[in-house]
Amino acid sequence: MLEINDIQRDYITEVLNISMGSAASVLSEMVNEEVALSVPEIDFLQRNIAANKFDQTSESKMSGVTQSMSGALSGDALLMFPEEKTLSIVRILLGESVSVENLTEMEQEAMCEIGNIILNAVVSSVANILEQEIVSSLPRFIKGTGKEIYAVDAGNEDLVMFIKVDFGLESQSINGYVTMMLNVDSLQNFMTQLDEQIHAI
Amino acid sequence: MPSDGKRNSRCTAMQESDHLFEKVLDLSENGLFLIDSERKIVLWNEWMVKASSIERDEAIGFTFSEVFPALAGKRVASVINAALDSRTASLLSRSLNKAIFPLFFAGGNGEKHRIEQSVTVKPIRSNGDDYCLVQITDVTSMVQREEVLKVLAKEAEEALHAAEDVSRFKSEFTSTVSHELRTPLTSIRGSLGLVSSGVMGALQPEVNKLIDIAYSNTERLLFLINDILDIDKIESGNMSFVMEAVDLMPLLKQAIEANQPYGDQYQVHYCLKEEVAQGIKVHADRDRLMQVFNNLLSNAAKFSSENSDVEINVIQKGGMVRVEVKDSGIGIPLKFQSRIFEKFSQADGSDTRKVGGTGLGLSISKAIMEMMKGAIGFATEEGKGTTFYIDLCLYDAEKVT
């Protein structure tokens, strides 16, 4: 099974944190408020375990944004939050109070844009490590249980790259989770390139 | 080598297809423009011409920042660069980016309105060249609709809160007033009872009669207040139940005995016809079940014709026991049947004085039966009488533990 060692973990984290920094400054400017983004944790997990990471149980509702990737890597990139956290973000960034059911098209679109900025930052970090191009699609709003979103029922035990993202907003900090769902070849390719880069240092 | 003729016809076909392609773009309901890797605009559709008032020849061949100098360094410019340099697609929502491009539509009176926009920026590669497609969707009407919806939702919420406040106030008021009335009434009844019993010395018959009227009316008021307090408890969900195994027949017989003096007032006799074995237990709250029996028995007496019998039958059916109370009264008019369990309902409003009662009893009985997972119902025939029945669950020790 594919595993990640401490050196690899540190390297990816550092590259991600650099692009998260620029994503954060874009977000801060957009919402006229200090937004800090950081990556405290990164791991390779099986889908079913990733699905459980959210709230001990894969039955809890979550929502977020997804976009697909093609080119050097193919798969999907997701930014997910426990459902009530999505609301906190929309509430803080848009200054509105709504419930998930009432997230209007406009607010979903705003959430998509926030996710788009963060996912593009992650995807471009990965592309930098690969030194190859990754084409990303437009973001899409999704919600469901961890089980549904990670397609656990399909018996899919693929590994995913699981990145915890810390959103520092106003007085509170909210944890979101970026998942890179890659096919096995893409993941292997990524790890090989990663090692080459580390050796080159 | 293809002949010139062939080449020409192919050129014509390509020109035709380009022409068609342009027509399609011009018919689009979205703003579309394409930027090449030199940041020059290479395509500018009709929607853009209309909304921006920038003609095609003023846009095509010029760089993005020449056409939109005010947008240099803005987020839209950087996502265009990202699409061309690292092939990422981006979305600029209208909520987080107010009126990205200076685009307007003409209103009816010649006024210009700024178009609310949602913008997508996508990378395209064709024949090894990179392009960036910018698409603009006019979301003005959606924004207006959402604003209206938000106002409506807010108003609805406020109205709901106001209604809840009124309802809470009403129920608190009812409860407080009822409690405050009960205390003095209880002492009035006590005093009247003492006086009428002759403890304070014998009374003249005329006085005694008046005291009796005062006593029975005080009692009626107390019943009414207790019923109102019960309804209040039911509606606020505060009525508590102690569910236990209740030996049915002794309780029912006790109820019949206790109600017979009341029946005597109407010259009605309670008569237990069919009964189940002693020891049959039902799952119920003893006091609340007694309250339901009292209600059904007193109703039957009230609505029976004089010198008649009220028949009581107890029948076991599967896991349930049914208790029927059958009167020989006037029956329930058809149009009233659907409202029989509603609060303050008596078939004939003018009847209230004659038969007494608050019109709350059946409504309370129904709520009690539902809370005890039982049921209440009736069968009636106008002019012949009514049978009210309640269904109770047999006490099943296994199920309860």
Side-chain angles (χ1 to χ4, degrees), chain B residues 125-166:
Chain B
R125 180 170 288 170
S126 173
N127 292 327
D129 292 323
D130 279 320
Y131 297 93
C132 162
L133 176 68
V134 180
Q135 293 187 71
I136 301 160
T137 309
D138 178 353
V139 291
T140 312
S141 58
M142 209 200 281
V143 170
Q144 285 164 349
R145 202 167 57 228
E146 292 209 350
E147 271 160 13
V148 170
L149 281 176
K150 269 184 194 149
V151 170
L152 287 178
K154 204 167 162 232
E155 282 173 2
E157 202 178 325
E158 282 167 2
L160 184 66
H161 283 314
E164 279 168 359
D165 285 348
V166 168

Side-chain angles (χ1 to χ4, degrees), chain B residues 84-310:
Chain B
L84 289 166
D85 298 337
S86 50
R87 307 198 66 203
T88 49
S90 298
L91 165 74
L92 281 80
S93 67
R94 118 65 226 187
S95 311
L96 294 170
N97 310 269
K98 302 281 181 269
I100 302 156
F101 291 102
L103 303 172
F104 301 88
F105 63 84
N109 45 7
E111 269 181 66
K112 280 188 159 188
H113 302 277
R114 190 134 192 171
I115 296 174
E116 301 280 2
Q117 309 150 37
S118 159
V119 175
T120 64
V121 176
K122 288 183 194 169
I124 300 182
R125 180 170 288 170
S126 173
N127 292 327
D129 292 323
D130 279 320
Y131 297 93
C132 162
L133 176 68
V134 180
Q135 293 187 71
I136 301 160
T137 309
D138 178 353
V139 291
T140 312
S141 58
M142 209 200 281
V143 170
Q144 285 164 349
R145 202 167 57 228
E146 292 209 350
E147 271 160 13
V148 170
L149 281 176
K150 269 184 194 149
V151 170
L152 287 178
K154 204 167 162 232
E155 282 173 2
E157 202 178 325
E158 282 167 2
L160 184 66
H161 283 314
E164 279 168 359
D165 285 348
V166 168
S167 149
R168 197 175 319 118
F169 173 75
K170 262 170 79 180
S171 111
E172 275 168 14
F173 178 78
T174 315
S175 161
T176 313
V177 168
S178 307
H179 275 292
E180 294 299 325
L181 284 173
R182 191 158 64 167
T183 318
L185 271 172
T186 308
S187 63
I188 292 171
R189 182 182 61 173
S191 308
L192 286 170
L194 283 173
V195 172
S196 103
S197 67
V199 182
M200 318 301 290
L203 296 171
Q204 298 208 348
E206 291 80 15
V207 178
N208 209 5
K209 205 175 156 197
L210 288 174
I211 295 282
D212 280 348
I213 292 170
Y215 183 85
S216 67
N217 278 293
T218 311
E219 200 147 57
R220 223 179 108 191
L221 261 179
L222 273 169
F223 281 135
L224 173 62
I225 287 165
N226 284 334
D227 279 357
I228 289 172
L229 285 171
D230 272 348
I231 286 281
D232 189 54
K233 273 190 215 154
I234 289 164
E235 287 181 349
S236 60
N238 288 330
M239 186 175 263
S240 57
F241 284 80
V242 182
M243 297 299 282
E244 57 184 339
V246 177
D247 201 346
L248 182 62
M249 289 317 296
L251 189 76
L252 180 59
K253 284 176 180 162
Q254 192 190 330
I256 292 170
E257 238 169 75
N259 276 280
Q260 193 51 60
Y262 183 79
D264 290 345
Q265 290 179 29
Y266 295 90
Q267 276 109 53
V268 166
H269 183 69
Y270 296 113
C271 152
L272 184 58
K273 277 232 166 128
E274 250 182 87
E275 50 184 298
V276 290
Q278 200 84 9
I280 290 277
K281 289 187 169 67
V282 293
H283 195 216
D285 176 307
R286 179 183 297 272
D287 294 341
R288 296 295 177 197
L289 181 56
M290 189 63 158
Q291 199 178 342
V292 175
F293 284 154
N294 285 338
N295 176 240
L296 294 186
L297 292 170
S298 61
N299 277 352
K302 266 188 285 188
F303 294 100
S304 278
S305 35
E306 278 182 22
N307 286 319
S308 65
D309 279 354
V310 166

